[in-house]
Structure formats: C-alpha cells, structure tokens
Amino acid sequence: MCFFFLLKMSLKLLAILCIAPLVCSQNYRLSGTVEPLSYIVHLSIPTGVFTGVDDTFTGETKINFRVTSTNISEIQLHHRVKNVTVELAVNDLTMIAFLEPTYNETTEIYTIPTATPLSVDTIYTLTFTYSNTFEAKNMEGFYSSKYKNENNETSYLVTTQFQPTHARHAFPCFDEPQYKATFAVSLTYPSGLLALSNSLEDNTTEPVDGYVTTHYKETTRMSTYLVAFIISEFTCSAQDTIDNNVLHRVCSRQEEAQDRTWAVEVGPPLIRSLESMFGIKYGSYMPKMDQIAIPDFSAGAMENWGLVTYRETGLLFSEEDTAITYKKNIALVIAHEFTHMWFGNLVTCKWWDYTFLNEGFARYYQYFAAALTKQLIDWELEKHFNVEQVQSALLADSSLNAHALTSKSETQREISDKFSTISYNKGASIYRMIETNIMGAGNFIYGIRDYLSNNTLQATVPADLWSKLAPHVPNTSLPQGIDLTTVLNNWVEHSGHPVVKVAKSGNDVVLSQERFLLSGNDTTEYYVPITYTLSSDVTKFSNTTVKTWLIPGQSLTLTGVLTDNNWIILNNRQSGFYRVDYDSTLWSAIKAQLHSNHLAIDVLNRAQIISDAYNFARAGRNDGYGSWTYAELMSVLSYLEYEVDYYPWYAAITGHNHLLQRIGYDSEEGQLFINWMLKLMQNVYKTVPFDVLDSSNQVYSMKQMLILNRACKYGEAECVSKSKELFAGYRDKGVKVPKNLRNLVYCTALRHSDNIATDFNFLWSKFGETKLMSEILTILSGLGCTNDTATLKWYLGQTLNETAGIRLQDFTSVWTYVFSSGKVGTNAALEFIAENYQTLNDAYSNCGSLISSAANYIYDEDQLVKVEALVNLTGILDTHKVTAEKALVSAKDIISWAKTLKEDIRQFLADDNNDNTDNSGAVIHTSSVLLISVFIIVANIVF
Ligand SMILES: *[C@@H]1O[C@H](CO)[C@@H](O)[C@H](O)[C@H]1NC(C)=O
Ligand SMILES: *[C@@H]1O[C@H](CO)[C@@H](O)[C@H](O)[C@H]1NC(C)=O
Ligand SMILES: *[C@@H]1O[C@H](CO)[C@@H](O)[C@H](O)[C@H]1NC(C)=O
Ligand SMILES: *[C@@H]1O[C@H](CO)[C@@H](O)[C@H](O)[C@H]1NC(C)=O
Ligand SMILES: *[C@@H]1O[C@H](CO)[C@@H](O)[C@H](O)[C@H]1NC(C)=O
Ligand SMILES: [Zn+2]
C-alpha cells in the first residue's frame, strides 16, 4: 500500500510519485532501491543446438550492485531461467547469508531476502548459475532459428530479441529500462561460427574440444533490453567506416551477400546525418555498428546498441529483383534504428509509460534526418511523413480507447501494447508540431541537443524534455501566459486530438474545437496552434509558424480575414496535429477552388482535405452547420479528376480502401464507386504508364506502384490485360516481370486467371525456388489474390505444413493476404478456421486474432453464416467463442451501417450522371471552366 494514498492525493499525482524510489511498492515493478552497476554474463551454447538435436544453453551471470537507502533487506530482480543457483557476496569476495528466495511466475520477479540490512557503502555481488531452453516459437528472448543455406542444407542460428521484457530469459537482471549498467559478455560456442555482441571482440580462445570462447569488451552503461548476441554461419560486408576506427558492417546469410550493397552504402551517411544533427558522435559510446538480417524475426528491426537486428526485407535489397518501395523502407528502417542510438540507447525512457520518448523520436528522425542524407535527398521524405505518419496517427487516435502518449503500463501485456501507432506515429507527429508550429527547426535542434547532452546515459520522463526545449521557445510562440509544459502536457497526458471548426460570420471566421472521434463523445480540449492561408495569399501555405492559439474552453475569432478572401484553409501543410472542418459556405469555396485550380492549394493541404473529409464522412459528423455523408465526401473527391500528385492520391486511396472494405468491391455500389473512381484516375494514370519504368526516380516509381496497383485492383481493362501478358511471359518464356510491377502483376494475373491451377502452381513453384525475402513476400501476396476457395484453403493449409517453407514470421502475412483479398478470400479463411480449428489452434497461439481480423472484412449478409459456424463450433475454446460472437455482432453492425453508405453512393452518382444542377459535385463541374483562367495566374506565382 502506498503511503501517499492515505493523504488522499489524486490518483494522477500518486502515479507520478510512484516513480520515485521508496514511495510505493508496485507488484510488477522492482523496488527502486537496488541499483545494478555492472554485469558479467557468460553463456555456453552446445554444438547440438546448431545441428537441431539440443535446445538448451547454460549461463553464469555476476551482477555488482549497491543499495540506495538504508534498511534494505531484500533484493528483487527479474529472471525467466531454469535451475538457478545464487550466491551473495561483498565485492565478489566474502559470502554473506540470505534467506530462501521466492519467485513469482507472473511478474517474473525473484526476491532474495537478506539476513541483515544491506549497507549503502558497499558493493555487493550476486552470482547466478542456471540453464534454459531456447525459445523456438516466439522469436523473443534468446531464441533459435533455422533456414536453408546455399547448399540446400538446414543451418541453425541463435539470436536475441530482448525488448521490452525478455533479457531475463537469457540472464537474471534488473529488466527495466531505467537500470543502466555495463555489460561484459562472453560466449562459448562451436568454433568456426560467427559470434557477435554489442561491443567489439576482446579476445577469442583457441579451440578446446571444438569450442571457443569469445570475450567482448565491456560496454558503456546501458539498459538490459539493448543487450544482444548472435551466433551463426553468417558473413559480413563492410566498406565505408562511420568515423576513424568506428566500423560499419552489414551481415546476413552468405547467399544474400550481394544484396547488402544498399545498406552498406547508406548506413554510414545516415549515421553521420544524425551525428551532425545531435552534435554527439556515435563512436563516443560504442566502438562499432553491425547491422544483421535475421531470417525469422518478430519485430521489424531492433536497435540493440552496436548490433542492430532486422528482418531480411528491412536490410537486404536486390537491385535486380526488389521493388523500389523496399529501398525506401530499408533506408527509413535503418534511420529509425540509428536514431535510437541516441533516443533510446544513450537517453532512455525511464519506464514504458513514456515509450514515445524513444519511439516517437525514432519515427520522426527516420524521415527528417534521412531527408538530409545525400542518397535520399530528392525522395520527398518530409512529405511522405504526412500521409504515412500524421494521417495514420490521427486515425488511430480517433477512438475512445486510444491510449494517451503517457499512459500507465505494468504487466508485460500492457507494456507490449505501448509499442503502438500512438507511441510511434502520434509521438512523431507531436514532435513535428512542436518543431514546425512552436519552435522552428533551428531552435528545436538546440533544445534536442541540450536534452541529449544533459541526459546522456540517464533515463528520462517527458518533463526532462520539456525543460530542455523551453529555453529555446520564441516568446511569441506560446499562448499568452501559458508555458510550454502546460501546452505539451495537454497533448501528451490526454488521448485524442481536436477537430477545429471554422464558421464564417460576415468577414470574420470563428474557430471552436471538440475532440474528433469516429464514434462516441469526450470533452477533452487542446491547446491548438493555428496557422492558416487565405485565398488571396497562397504563398502562406509554406509558413507553419503558429499565428494564434485556440485555447481549451474558448472560441477564437479571426477578425476580418474574409475581407477580399473567399476561402480560408487552416493548418498549413498539416503541420499541427488536428483536423479542420468548415461550415458549408466555406467548404463550397474550398471545393470550388479545388475544381478551378487545385494547384492554388498546397499539395499537403490537398492531402489533408481528403483525409479529413474521409474521416468526417466515416464519423457521420453532423455539428449543425454541415452534415457529412459519403455523398458530401464524394463531392470533395470529384476534384481528383485533375489531381496527378502522389500525396492526395495516397490519402484518397487510403480512404477508398476502407470504404471498399465496407461495401465490397463486387457489390453493385462497389462497382459504381470503382467505375467512378477509374474515370477520376484517368489523368493520374496517364502520368505513370506501364512501360515507362524509372527506378532511379524514387518519387515517380512510388506513384507508379500506387496508382497502377489500384487501377488493376479496380479491374481497369488495360491494367489487367498488361498484367496478364507480363505474367504469361514469365510463366511461358521465363521473362522476369519488372521488379516494381511484380506485386501488382502477380496479384492481378492470379485474380483474373483463366487457368487457376496452372497459374497458381507456377507461382507456388517459384516460391519454392526463391530465397530472396522481398520476392518471397511478393509471391505470397500474389498467391493470396487467387479467386478460388479450394485453392486458397490449400494455400492456408501450407502455413501449417512445416515442410512447405512458409516462415513463422510470415504466417500472419499469408493469412492477411488471403482474407483481405476479397469476398472469396475472407470466406476461405473463415471456413478454413472452422474446418481445421484444432490443428490451427495447436500450431498457432493467436487464433482469436485471426478470427476477428478475417471477420472484419465481411461486408455481405451471406457471409455471416461463416462466423456463426465458428460460434457454434464444437470444441472451440471459450475465449475464441467470445471473439467470434463479438465479431458477429460487429459484422452485423457494419453491414447495417454500410447500407446508408451505399445509399449515399447511389444518390451521388445518380446526381452526377444526370448533371443535376442542384447538387454540389455537379455544379462545380460546370462552373470550373470559367474559374480556371482566373487561377492560372495564381498558380504561376506559387510554383
Ligand atoms: C505474483 O504477483 C501477482 C501480481 O502482483 C499477484 O497477483 C500474485 O498473487 C503473485 N503470486 C504469488 C504466488 O505471490
Ligand atoms: C534443470 O535440471 C534438471 C535436473 O538436472 C534437468 O532435468 C533439466 O533438463 C534442467 N533444465 C534445463 C532447462 O536445463
Ligand atoms: C532441397 O532439399 C529438399 C529436401 O530437403 C528437396 O525437396 C528440394 O528439392 C531441394 N531443393 C533444391 C533446389 O535442391
Ligand atoms: C580476454 O578478455 C577478457 C576480458 O574481456 C580478459 O578478462 C581476459 O584476461 C582476456 N584473455 C586473454 C587471454 O587475453
Ligand atoms: C542538466 O540540467 C540540470 C538543470 O538544468 C543541471 O542542473 C545539470 O547540471 C545538467 N546536467 C548535465 C550533465 O549537464
Ligand atoms: Zn523503434
């Protein structure tokens, strides 16, 4: 029980106080009074592990520690190992007595009561011996993995994934991020293998009985979750170093050696971009950087200090066979992990409540530091950030159960849940808002440097960041009388974000706010930095410095702004984390502008308008001065006819995907919508023809993949016939499909196949032959597009067939390809679950998520029986039965919701076709010709 609770302090304050040592003892947290200083970890891995006959390792770990207050007579730490023995000594010399330790299997906390209180002036040593089995299924902790090598033999490797709570699976430790200590690791393993850990090798013994022992140099002070070791048959490539004597290497299975080139090339310049930004050299704290591709890996990548691990698709790039989207993704993932070397590794969030202090920055600089790197300089990464991060963050943040950036987590499950779209995407978006709206790039980086240098090798809470940013905030940038901490805590401690409502009142506009939610209500209000652009001055879009603030509990009048202006658009370049809704007069003016000359509105604001409109329609927003229906949305979208830019289309297609998932691609209304959209896509389609491929142009190629992919999915005739042609060329003559088109060609050819058995078997045989992970995923995704239930069920069956070669890490991808590909796929997945429930449940621990994810693609009444079958399935686990029941209710809700949606679409398209003059979309069409000439002038000024 917590002492302060008796004083009736508010719960929130209590939560803050509990961070301080000694104040409270929380069941899932260590006491805070025992502080590890250094670890010596020695692990032995027997030969049998590398031939598949053994699955255990043994360990010996010494921990030097001290206590930080008097009267401490128990030591608590984590472990998840077996057969533990423990000794306690003063300075690793004089043994001292302790009572019988206890172990809690839920919290994984091991408690060692001492006979007498420990002295604050003494350094103590705990020595553990233990053994453990490698994890084989979960890809966490210390785990083993296998793959087929270049000689078609099975090779084994052992590797680690410790974040957030798995270091304790390899050695007993204080497994919380705030406990930093040095680590001296040594490994005993069969000679001839490559063994890597965080720091450089110190020495390796001569082989004895086939075993060698490698000692690594002691690391700098770091958190347990960043420790790593990997033993494999891998090889490495190196070229440029990061700095004098700071080695950069890229490692993988030997067969992939030629595909490391991109990572080898881009790694050092990326890390140097970060060094010059942060003003701290990477090499000051870790003497080398190895990046390594692991065949079976659960996360995308992991920032172990000096030994970063990746999925193969996150690191390896074949110039000949890997699509250009992977190239961008690899650069961004590397930049993300490298950012962690500062945000996360050097300065660490004190506890997972503040995961966004690590992940938000990594997500942020993966774009904005990468954008400064020579190789990526014209990739427009700062624009990609908006559609990929800000818009997805807004969506994730639009439900009542979205967590706040700072939110409590204790159990392992709660901690995992903190690695969410909110912590990453919203965290990054809030940093973007601070930088662009409040501080400006120069001031922001000064604040960031102070934060990093002030907290080097320490752990932090958000207040530590605010206090270092605050001195650099220009006086004019905050609301009157309000400090930075108040503004930022408002965003960080509350979930959600506002929709700013803009109403015309004569020549004034009046701004007010409410929390934006797809459904439900909440009264939270925010400090909203307002920026805006008026129709007479479209150069203002580029100015993202806050102009005025909308304050909780108040409205705001912008006096006279509409004198000589017919529209106003808020949130320049969508730099602030909020949506904007206008009254119907203002919306009409914006729509008219989009139709007459959309180029007068900044491309990122066009993307914003589309994303906002889609979400308003989805929420059915109706706040008195405008009511959002899908017909209303479509009147906004109709301008897309003129749009040939990537970002607005990205936002539009994100919206279409949701819409079509709800009404079905093959429903009557789905077809109406698709035909309408194909008409609107004609111009953009012409800018990225099938036969103009240009992989040296990243932005062009991204747009080409995006647009052609959708055109094919919508069944556009030329797209389909060209895809089938290219596929036939591959199948019959062995002519490879151009790498950037493969994804859509495989999928389209399978979806529209004239001979499913032949085409499916052909592609499946290619799966068996290829070893390149990006190509494997492209093939697996193409196979999922097959339009035949029996074939798809056979395909799903292969995820359970150990000899088929589908990797554990790709299990859920294959399922997702199938159930998201269309009605046939959704039905096949649900039927497969019912028919093979026992086998599936034995093989896969998360059947429930398969049920709810697949059922989320139901849009038609005749599909409900598939879920009912699961509800009534004999032998189904209670938890899965409950999941199926919930899925059924939710599917029924969606179907009835989609009815209105379908009505809207019919109505809009009927009006559109009749060229009916009383409705938004059509009116604008006819008047647009007149307006174009006027706005051409404006366009010339802007661009
Ligand atoms: C282990 O810890 C959990 C969480 O504090 C607690 O609910 C449970 O009773 C503990 N188990 C034992 C055996 O003490
Ligand atoms: C723990 O010790 C027991 C008895 O010696 C042994 O049977 C068991 O395999 C050991 N467990 C591990 C994981 O090594
Ligand atoms: C690899 O070995 C498996 C059996 O382990 C065999 O079925 C397959 O045909 C072999 N592949 C190649 C390319 O040799
Ligand atoms: C190898 O390195 C370890 C520490 O990293 C050291 O204790 C040991 O003495 C070294 N052994 C030799 C033979 O140099
Ligand atoms: C960090 O900042 C605090 C307060 O501004 C100051 O007292 C402290 O000395 C600084 N520490 C370092 C290591 O710079
Ligand atoms: Zn990360």
Side-chain angles (χ1 to χ4, degrees):
M1 172 62 86
C2 174
F3 170 72
F4 282 95
F5 192 65
L6 302 174
L7 301 178
K8 288 204 167 32
M9 291 201 139
S10 81
L11 269 179
K12 189 174 254 166
L13 186 52
L14 178 68
I16 293 161
L17 289 171
C18 285
I19 293 153
L22 253 192
V23 174
C24 321
S25 96
Q26 288 166 323
N27 291 333
Y28 282 85
R29 299 290 304 276
L30 300 179
S31 64
T33 51
V34 182
E35 188 181 274
L37 302 169
S38 59
Y39 291 78
I40 300 171
V41 179
H42 175 243
L43 302 176
S44 300
I45 298 93
T47 302
V49 170
F50 298 93
T51 53
V53 300
D54 197 350
D55 64 350
T56 60
F57 61 92
T58 55
E60 184 184 309
T61 293
K62 276 187 193 297
I63 310 174
N64 291 316
F65 70 92
R66 62 190 192 91
V67 296
T68 53
S69 61
T70 49
N71 287 323
I72 303 300
S73 45
E74 70 175 27
I75 306 152
Q76 289 201 321
L77 76 170
H78 294 100
H79 85 68
R80 197 196 297 152
V81 297
K82 308 276 159 51
N83 295 349
V84 182
T85 69
V86 58
E87 286 172 5
L88 177 62
V90 171
N91 257 326
D92 204 11
L93 294 170
T94 326
M95 303 274 263
I96 48 178
F98 54 90
L99 313 179
E100 181 69 25
T102 58
Y103 181 65
N104 185 315
E105 294 204 0
T106 310
T107 61
E108 297 174 342
I109 290 176
Y110 189 63
T111 304
I112 308 165
T114 55
T116 54
L118 297 167
S119 151
V120 285
D121 303 319
T122 308
I123 295 194
Y124 296 94
T125 309
L126 279 169
T127 303
F128 294 93
T129 67
Y130 53 94
S131 58
N132 210 354
T133 47
F134 284 101
E135 286 280 356
K137 273 202 148 170
N138 289 325
M139 297 178 271
E140 63 188 30
F142 198 11
Y143 71 96
S144 65
S145 171
K146 57 186 179 183
Y147 61 94
K148 281 272 163 67
N149 69 17
E150 62 269 38
N151 303 323
N152 199 22
E153 301 151 354
T154 303
S155 286
Y156 294 80
L157 63 90
V158 294
T159 183
T160 55
Q161 167 60 40
F162 289 166
Q163 193 184 35
T165 53
H166 306 302
R168 66 191 70 167
H169 175 256
F171 53 90
C173 57
F174 296 76
D175 206 5
E176 294 187 4
Q178 63 174 315
Y179 295 110
K180 296 195 177 188
T182 60
F183 291 85
V185 173
S186 57
L187 302 170
T188 299
Y189 57 97
S191 66
L193 295 173
L194 176 72
L196 298 170
S197 187
N198 304 82
S199 69
L200 284 169
E201 175 180 327
D202 194 346
N203 56 59
T204 296
T205 61
E206 290 300 317
V208 177
D209 298 335
Y211 286 96
V212 292
T213 298
T214 299
H215 286 268
Y216 299 88
K217 291 187 191 299
E218 183 174 74
T219 68
T220 195
R221 271 165 51 79
M222 57 191 258
S223 310
T224 49
Y225 76 90
L226 294 168
V227 174
F229 19 83
I230 302 167
I231 303 169
S232 68
E233 293 173 5
F234 286 4
T235 59
C236 305
S237 307
Q239 215 165 35
D240 204 3
T241 53
I242 292 168
D243 217 336
N244 280 346
N245 302 322
V246 183
L247 207 61
H248 171 258
R249 295 189 297 183
V250 177
C251 313
S252 70
R253 52 197 166 91
Q254 165 60 23
E255 207 175 356
E256 282 293 321
Q258 75 284 0
D259 297 332
R260 299 169 193 153
T261 313
W262 172 232
V264 166
E265 179 196 340
V266 81
L270 276 173
I271 211 158
R272 287 195 289 259
S273 291
L274 291 158
E275 286 180 334
S276 61
M277 223 155 181
F278 301 147
I280 298 173
K281 291 278 190 186
Y282 171 76
S284 313
Y285 295 94
M286 193 57 79
K288 59 95 172 165
M289 168 61 81
D290 290 329
Q291 306 200 71
I292 184 163
I294 306 292
D296 251 326
F297 196 65
S298 57
M302 177 61 212
E303 68 266 24
N304 314 303
W305 209 340
L307 181 56
V308 183
T309 44
Y310 294 84
R311 282 194 176 199
E312 290 192 345
T313 47
L315 193 64
L316 304 174
F317 180 77
S318 158
E319 281 298 338
E320 199 183 329
D321 290 314
T322 308
I324 201 93
T325 39
Y326 284 99
K327 189 169 193 177
K328 165 170 165 264
N329 197 44
I330 289 166
L332 293 193
V333 176
I334 293 176
H336 178 104
E337 303 312 322
F338 282 4
T339 304
H340 275 311
M341 301 302 129
W342 288 265
F343 288 96
N345 300 10
L346 193 59
V347 177
T348 313
C349 61
K350 194 164 257 169
W351 177 241
W352 304 113
D353 291 7
Y354 321 110
T355 301
F356 79 102
L357 289 177
N358 288 6
E359 297 301 345
F361 276 116
R363 185 52 60 81
Y364 180 74
Y365 284 112
Q366 80 180 56
Y367 287 84
F368 294 101
L372 303 177
T373 306
K374 191 179 92 214
Q375 284 83 346
L376 317 174
I377 207 116
D378 29 86
W379 289 17
E380 301 187 349
L381 294 176
E382 63 298 328
K383 291 187 188 168
H384 288 279
F385 179 79
N386 270 62
V387 291
E388 293 172 4
Q389 303 301 323
V390 179
Q391 293 181 0
S392 57
L394 288 167
L395 179 60
D397 199 31
S398 297
S399 83
L400 272 175
N401 56 21
H403 66 82
L405 283 170
T406 292
S407 67
K408 269 202 97 37
S409 54
E410 281 202 338
T411 64
Q412 291 182 34
R413 179 59 202 268
E414 287 165 353
I415 293 167
S416 312
D417 287 349
K418 290 289 292 185
F419 290 78
S420 63
T421 307
I422 296 295
S423 296
Y424 288 70
N425 308 31
K426 184 180 177 183
S429 304
I430 296 297
Y431 296 138
R432 180 69 172 157
M433 178 163 74
I434 299 171
E435 181 196 331
T436 54
N437 291 164
I438 304 180
M439 296 184 71
N443 291 321
F444 185 67
I445 199 64
Y446 287 133
I448 290 300
R449 287 179 179 190
D450 284 357
Y451 169 72
L452 289 173
S453 57
N454 192 254
N455 295 293
T456 291
L457 301 177
Q458 308 293 319
T460 56
V461 298
D464 297 318
L465 176 60
W466 310 156
S467 73
K468 293 299 157 196
L469 294 179
H472 300 281
V473 175
N475 291 334
T476 50
S477 284
L478 289 169
Q480 188 106 52
I482 308 283
D483 63 8
L484 184 73
T485 298
T486 308
V487 170
L488 297 183
N489 280 349
N490 166 255
W491 284 97
V492 160
E493 289 173 2
H494 296 108
S495 55
H497 59 273
V499 50
V500 173
K501 300 184 284 184
V502 189
K504 180 171 158 60
S505 163
N507 283 333
D508 302 345
V509 300
V510 180
L511 311 184
S512 55
Q513 63 162 302
E514 66 191 40
R515 177 169 176 194
F516 177 72
L517 287 164
L518 288 172
S519 66
N521 286 300
D522 179 47
T523 56
T524 309
E525 296 197 7
Y526 306 82
Y527 288 94
V528 193
I530 302 294
T531 54
Y532 58 86
T533 299
L534 299 164
S535 50
S536 67
D537 194 0
V538 297
T539 60
K540 289 282 162 56
F541 279 111
S542 61
N543 184 349
T544 52
T545 307
V546 58
K547 222 167 184 158
T548 179
W549 286 86
L550 184 58
I551 305 286
Q554 298 177 14
S555 65
L556 174 69
T557 302
L558 304 176
T559 311
V561 289
L562 291 180
T563 318
D564 302 328
N565 284 297
N566 63 345
W567 54 253
I568 178 172
I569 290 175
L570 264 69
N571 200 4
N572 291 340
R573 295 191 170 160
Q574 203 177 26
S575 48
F577 194 67
Y578 56 96
R579 296 193 186 275
V580 189
D581 198 2
Y582 303 86
D583 68 16
S584 54
T585 314
L586 291 171
W587 264 119
S588 297
I590 292 170
K591 283 190 279 185
Q593 181 65 70
L594 285 172
H595 279 83
S596 59
N597 174 21
H598 62 286
L599 296 178
I601 299 173
D602 188 271
V603 63
L604 293 181
N605 283 94
R606 304 202 299 275
Q608 168 205 26
I609 287 167
I610 290 169
S611 168
D612 283 357
Y614 245 115
N615 284 281
F616 296 155
R618 184 167 164 187
R621 267 184 71 71
N622 189 347
D623 52 20
Y625 56 78
S627 72
W628 278 95
T629 61
Y630 273 82
E632 188 63 29
L633 164 70
M634 288 167 79
S635 82
V636 174
L637 295 182
S638 60
Y639 105 88
L640 286 171
E641 182 178 357
Y642 314 107
E643 184 63 77
V644 296
D645 237 309
Y646 175 78
Y647 309 95
W649 274 107
Y650 187 103
I653 285 166
T654 305
H656 302 346
N657 289 349
H658 178 259
L659 172 66
L660 288 164
Q661 182 183 336
R662 289 304 173 231
I663 63 177
Y665 287 76
D666 63 351
S667 69
E668 211 176 311
E669 294 79 5
Q671 284 300 312
L672 279 172
F673 182 86
I674 281 170
N675 290 336
W676 180 65
M677 198 40 67
L678 282 173
K679 265 194 273 167
L680 298 183
M681 284 176 80
Q682 275 174 19
N683 276 327
V684 70
Y685 186 66
K686 280 188 210 129
T687 65
V688 286
F690 244 84
D691 27 25
V692 182
L693 296 163
D694 181 7
S695 283
S696 67
N697 186 336
Q698 185 71 23
V699 177
Y700 171 85
S701 301
M702 301 263 311
K703 182 166 102 177
Q704 183 175 46
M705 291 178 71
L706 178 78
I707 297 299
L708 294 185
N709 198 304
R710 283 304 98 173
C712 277
K713 174 110 189 189
Y714 298 163
E716 202 272 334
E718 185 194 50
C719 202
V720 172
S721 68
K722 289 210 169 176
S723 295
K724 289 175 75 169
E725 217 173 280
L726 286 169
F727 188 79
Y730 186 34
R731 186 192 58 211
D732 303 336
K733 304 205 189 75
V735 182
K736 281 191 190 174
V737 179
K739 60 183 189 177
N740 292 344
L741 301 181
R742 271 183 211 173
N743 199 295
L744 72 107
V745 165
Y746 293 174
C747 173
T748 309
L750 271 279
R751 192 185 299 283
H752 297 273
S753 172
D754 302 316
N755 187 336
I756 289 177
T758 309
D759 289 340
F760 184 93
N761 289 338
F762 167 72
L763 202 53
W764 179 254
S765 73
K766 288 290 165 192
F767 166 73
E769 290 166 20
T770 182
K771 299 270 191 73
L772 177 65
M773 260 333 282
S774 59
E775 179 67 6
I776 286 176
L777 281 186
T778 307
I779 292 172
L780 290 176
S781 137
L783 291 168
C785 299
T786 307
N787 218 349
D788 177 72
T789 313
T791 311
L792 287 176
K793 283 196 207 164
W794 180 86
Y795 181 35
L796 290 174
Q798 300 316 300
T799 62
L800 303 177
N801 175 357
E802 277 209 19
T803 58
I806 296 176
R807 291 202 151 275
L808 188 56
Q809 65 171 11
D810 301 321
F811 179 94
T812 43
S813 300
V814 169
W815 275 80
T816 309
Y817 297 141
V818 171
F819 63 61
S820 68
S821 71
K823 191 172 185 176
V824 173
T826 311
N827 289 352
L830 291 168
E831 285 173 21
F832 184 92
I833 298 172
E835 289 159 10
N836 302 279
Y837 175 77
Q838 296 305 348
T839 327
L840 184 61
N841 193 40
D842 290 344
Y844 183 62
S845 58
N846 212 348
C847 245
S849 84
L850 290 182
I851 295 173
S852 52
S853 308
N856 191 29
Y857 281 84
I858 288 180
Y859 61 88
D860 211 348
E861 248 138 30
D862 68 15
Q863 297 178 277
L864 293 174
V865 292
K866 312 285 176 201
V867 188
E868 277 157 9
L870 284 171
V871 172
N872 300 323
L873 192 70
T874 36
I876 190 167
L877 289 180
D878 282 348
T879 56
H880 296 156
K881 190 183 173 77
V882 172
T883 305
E885 281 165 349
K886 282 191 185 151
L888 187 60
V889 172
S890 136
K892 284 178 179 164
D893 285 350
I894 284 168
I895 290 169
S896 86
W897 177 73
K899 285 204 176 103
T900 9
L901 209 161
K902 289 179 172 177
E903 259 324 292
D904 275 5
I905 290 170
R906 277 181 176 288
Q907 195 210 321
F908 177 85
L909 291 177
D911 290 350
D912 199 46
N913 287 338
N914 301 337
D915 210 18
N916 200 335
T917 42
D918 67 10
N919 211 327
S920 40
V923 180
I924 292 157
H925 258 104
T926 46
S927 59
S928 60
V929 184
L930 287 175
L931 288 168
I932 280 181
S933 52
V934 177
F935 282 102
I936 290 258
I937 302 160
V938 177
N940 285 341
I941 298 167
V942 188
F943 299 92

